[in-house]
Amino acid sequence: MKPVKIGICGLGTVAGGTINVLKRNAELISGRAGCAIDIVQVGSRKLKDHVDLAGIDFTTNVLDVASNPEVDIVVELMGGYDTALEVVMTALKNGKHVVTANKALIAVHGNEIIELAQSKNLVVAFEAAVAGGIPIIKAIREGLSANAISSVAGIINGTGNFILTEMREKGRDFADVLKEAQALGYAEADPTFDVEGIDAAHKLTILASVAFGVPLQFDAAYTEGISKLSTVDIEHAGELGYTVKHLGICRLHPEGIELRVHPTLIPSDKLLASVNGVKNAVLVESDAVGQTLYYGAGAGAEATASAVIADLVDVARVINSSAHAAVPELGFKPKHVKALPVLPMEQVSSAYYLRVLAKDRPGVLAKVASILSDKGINIESIMQRESEEHDGVIPMMLVTHVVCESAINSAIAEIESLADISGSVVRIRIEHF
Ligand code: HSE
């Protein structure tokens, strides 16, 4: 079989990993693909010392790669929106398949990219965009293709999970752990994407689309990060039997989908609760097989390269097969993609952990409980702590049963308006899975 020729745009962490793994495992990769995968050109603004480009043409103009007649597959590993979009659209217009690790690009511009690719009978593959090395897109689109999937929930930002784990286990400072995650190459160029949940929302948007066969709707995702999480809530949650994780959750309803990223309490005995460090995990709930859990490295050079190369192998097989046998990008043939909207958070139901700072006097707890009961909110447990830090004010932690977000919002507003309550109520959603 003729070698498949690829051009790589970008020369950062993931590109370096991809070039190294393609060279190191060249023989076994070609055995799986049915042909050699040759890197003919790399485009990047700058050369990087850590990558050996011997025998590979180098250009500082990434658009050269997208229009290079030698190239069969353009591998977009630059990240970002603008230039990446131009490269991908140019590559498709020039009849090239595309492999990308760019979750932001797919989450935001995926619909137009996929439409162009499908109109030209080309493949756009983005396994590396979600959960690094975990083959979750392949698992959902292919391994679970018999199933009606009802929900997907995951720890899909390694940096955030690394920070939460270090804070919980070692009491380390948020900023200090973030710096380490950046040095290790886990964090995004703009780390607010990690700590404010934007990166997780990009990935969740893609997961929801492949799980439910709906268009990509990043703008409608609810996004709440970990930057405002306080260590006291992580400790109190632990005492109540929960672990705080930053989760992306999507759930299918007849009238729309939930699409939300936020800190979440999970019962500490659930497997997801013990996913620590930079590791990612995705829990899929589906009708035939039930729950399946996918765990592994969610970031890092070679872990992400593993997913990039798996896509290259798939596309190489398509190029070398007589029929166009590619799996549809969103798992469903275009006419079966459903235009379901994302539901507003007010319509989402969840259990809640609430932390209320109350004056230490008789009847305050009764007033809080009565507000909750008036709204039909059932309390599962209450914990009260003495606090030396707040003069005459004590923290009360309440765990509720499942309730609609609109009810908890209105209860919180009433609780905050009580004269005996100080400051804002801390609210973290709980999922029992
Ligand atoms: N910044 C991302 C993370 C990298 O920490 O998970 C992988 O997408």
Side-chain angles (χ1 to χ4, degrees):
M1 237 8 129
K2 255 183 8 188
V4 162
K5 295 183 177 168
I6 69 167
I8 298 179
C9 297
L11 207 39
T13 308
V14 177
T18 301
I19 294 167
N20 288 341
V21 177
L22 275 173
K23 282 186 181 164
R24 187 173 73 234
N25 293 344
E27 199 178 328
L28 69 87
I29 291 168
S30 66
R32 287 177 175 141
C35 63
I37 295 178
D38 290 349
I39 309 170
V40 296
Q41 192 174 36
V42 168
S44 167
R45 266 176 307 174
K46 277 194 243 150
L47 265 173
K48 304 263 170 77
D49 293 342
H50 69 284
V51 192
D52 175 12
L53 293 181
I56 301 171
D57 181 40
F58 177 79
T59 170
T60 51
N61 182 359
V62 283
L63 289 170
D64 288 349
V65 180
S67 54
N68 183 339
E70 281 269 294
V71 167
D72 302 307
I73 310 172
V74 170
V75 186
E76 186 279 301
L77 302 177
M78 300 178 297
Y81 302 97
D82 301 337
T83 313
L85 180 62
E86 200 182 347
V87 162
V88 165
M89 297 305 259
T90 307
L92 292 170
K93 284 177 192 152
N94 284 319
K96 298 175 195 318
H97 301 280
V98 169
V99 169
T100 177
N102 190 335
K103 52 250 161 159
L105 181 72
I106 296 299
V108 175
H109 297 292
N111 296 322
E112 56 183 298
I113 292 171
I114 290 169
E115 196 184 329
L116 178 60
Q118 287 176 344
S119 74
K120 297 185 94 47
N121 220 18
L122 294 165
V123 179
V124 175
F126 42 83
E127 180 66 69
V130 182
I134 306 174
I136 185 63
I137 291 181
K138 192 172 259 294
I140 292 176
R141 278 196 323 208
E142 298 175 49
L144 297 178
S145 56
N147 289 259
I149 297 176
S150 49
S151 72
V152 180
I155 296 169
I156 44 179
N157 181 268
T159 301
N161 201 42
F162 182 63
I163 293 173
L164 284 184
T165 306
E166 292 288 304
M167 284 171 73
R168 192 185 69 247
E169 290 182 351
K170 302 183 189 150
R172 285 181 65 191
D173 179 59
F174 180 92
D176 172 42
V177 191
L178 176 58
K179 243 188 244 156
E180 188 182 340
Q182 285 175 291
L184 290 166
Y186 302 150
E188 296 304 299
D190 177 355
T192 55
F193 275 45
D194 296 297
V195 297
E196 297 307 342
I198 301 159
D199 177 75
H202 286 145
K203 294 166 180 166
L204 183 71
T205 299
I206 300 171
L207 284 176
S209 289
V210 297
F212 307 137
V214 297
L216 296 135
Q217 300 173 77
F218 170 72
D219 287 346
Y222 172 80
T223 307
E224 190 183 311
I226 58 168
S227 62
K228 293 190 184 68
L229 259 188
S230 127
T231 39
V232 295
D233 292 312
I234 295 176
E235 278 166 30
H236 293 325
E239 288 170 48
L240 288 160
Y242 293 96
T243 302
V244 181
K245 289 291 175 194
H246 194 215
L247 291 192
I249 300 171
C250 58
R251 197 167 270 135
L252 182 66
H253 297 275
E255 67 281 16
I257 61 166
E258 292 176 29
L259 193 62
R260 50 193 172 105
V261 171
H262 50 71
T264 310
L265 269 66
I266 309 174
S268 297
D269 59 354
K270 296 280 174 186
L271 279 174
L272 264 188
S274 45
V275 172
N276 287 323
V278 73
K279 289 289 193 286
N280 280 197
V282 182
L283 180 69
V284 183
E285 184 82 52
S286 43
D287 67 341
V289 68
Q291 282 191 348
T292 49
L293 180 66
Y294 308 83
Y295 167 86
E302 292 208 356
T304 312
S306 161
V308 170
I309 296 167
D311 276 346
L312 285 171
V313 169
D314 275 354
V315 181
R317 288 173 180 152
V318 168
I319 290 173
N320 286 322
S321 75
S322 47
H324 184 78
V327 178
E329 280 77 4
L330 300 183
F332 290 79
K333 294 284 183 191
K335 69 174 184 195
H336 295 284
V337 170
K338 300 181 281 288
L340 277 179
V342 175
L343 299 175
M345 281 303 278
E346 292 265 302
Q347 286 178 31
V348 168
S349 291
S350 172
Y352 292 86
Y353 159 96
L354 304 177
R355 177 162 57 85
V356 181
L357 285 180
K359 296 218 172 100
D360 193 8
R361 41 170 93 121
V364 181
L365 177 57
K367 281 186 205 159
V368 171
S370 123
I371 291 175
L372 293 172
S373 114
D374 287 351
K375 314 262 174 219
I377 301 170
N378 205 353
I379 300 171
E380 184 187 286
S381 59
I382 297 182
M383 185 173 82
Q384 192 173 298
R385 281 278 172 275
E386 288 304 326
S387 169
E388 287 159 13
E389 287 167 36
H390 307 96
D391 199 16
V393 173
I394 54 160
M396 274 175 355
M397 279 63 67
L398 296 103
V399 172
T400 75
H401 284 270
V402 173
V403 56
C404 188
E405 181 113 351
S406 57
I408 206 84
N409 286 347
S410 98
I412 287 175
E414 267 189 51
I415 293 170
E416 286 175 346
S417 71
L418 291 175
D420 291 330
I421 299 301
S422 163
S424 307
V425 174
V426 172
R427 166 258 303 274
I428 309 179
R429 296 173 190 88
I430 302 179
E431 290 285 334
H432 288 95
F433 303 114

